[in-house]
Amino acid sequence: MKLEAVELRRLDVPLVRPFRTSFGVQTHRDVLLVRVLTDEGEGWSECVALADPVYSSEYVAGAQAVLTGHLLPRLFAAADLTGRSVAPALAGVIGHRMAKAAVETAVLDAELRSYGISLARYLGAERSHVECGVSVGIASSVDALLAEVQSYVDQGYRRIKLKIQPGWDVEPVRAVREAFGPDLPLQVDANTAYDAATMPRLHALEEFGLLLIEQPFVEEDLHQHAVLSRQMRTPVCLDESIVSAAVAADAINRGACSIVNVKAGRVGGYLESVRIHDVCAALGVPVWCGGMLETGLGRAANLALAALPNFRLVGDTSASDRYFAEDLTEPFVLVDGRLPVPTGPGVGVDLRRDVVTAMTQSTETVRP
Ligand code: OSB
Ligand code: MG
């Protein structure tokens, strides 16, 4: 394919409720949509960077700047552009994985639409439906948390993940365990909020039979995660630390984690995500699909990935109404705790142009 133009569209999409984590509160999703126009047709994707650099160093305005200034010029210069040729063409730019993932996914979408095959099939998906869990933010009170968890359990979610931080950990986890019993699949995510001084609070979670503890320490500190992994029976899972298949293999070999959260944006795209899936499978480590509060466009691609065989734990691909009153695509609706894997060409969903237009804040078109 030949890349002819790229449209970068910024949207302001309200969340149905504030999402509080140890790194801040999200009330809106500042979404960057990437539309590639090629001689074979167009493709779309969503960049998962947040508005501020609080989960990782990337943020939406930075992603847009590196796309226009550094990534897209390299792709305009590429002769035979395919999804697989994007990462090698961009390898000269260090980092900026979320921005790279966004453009790679849009090019893949265009390419696969031209062949008429789905992203799920292209990546090697083996299931038609994905079991869904839900990530529950830090609440204003334990009672408010219990009410929120109850509503998700009633909707059929198959696993609950509680966001924790020092001071919001043992008490809410104990309350959820007591209210919902020992059989509720339950795990926690600290988003790097702990350190050596607060580590005893993590040990105090041992008695609650959690499926895993996600990313307790800063992303660079594999050693501290390895220490905790040795000390606890509860498995340690990494999110922020895992930025590539090489890092995943290193973290596993050092004993820093026994489970990996895969997010395509964090690792530079769906192709690197499949490599992580494969290296983890080879090392006997199960993976699950994380989320970044994506709209239906990003969710569709995540469902394709989550349908691969080593995605053996329930992930964070929740239904549209967990995030948005109005999604950018036809809403994903939970049925029996599962979502369908899209089967149409490319990512397999189409944008609702009226909704996209109504929420658009700015549009920039980049040409060679
Ligand atoms: O750490 O998994 C995380 C959302 C934004 C940034 C980081 C994380 C999350 C979530 C929500 O936990 C996942 C989702 O439902 O999309
Ligand atoms: Mg996480």
Side-chain angles (χ1 to χ4, degrees), residues 296-314:
L297 185 63
R299 189 164 314 287
N302 284 344
L303 288 165
L305 180 67
L308 269 68
N310 194 37
F311 280 81
R312 288 187 277 145
L313 273 69
V314 179

Side-chain angles (χ1 to χ4, degrees), residues 19 21 23 26 50 55 133-135 161 163 189 191 214 239-240 261 263 288 290-294 299 316-318 322-323:
F19 184 60
T21 64
F23 60 73
Q26 320 287 313
L50 300 180
Y55 162 81
V134 58
S135 176
K161 162 170 136 181
K163 290 291 192 177
D189 184 0
N191 289 111
E214 181 178 345
D239 172 354
E240 285 88 332
N261 165 326
K263 291 179 184 170
W288 56 278
M292 291 291 291
L293 311 174
E294 289 91 344
R299 189 164 314 287
D316 281 343
T317 52
S318 310
R322 182 258 172 267
Y323 311 94

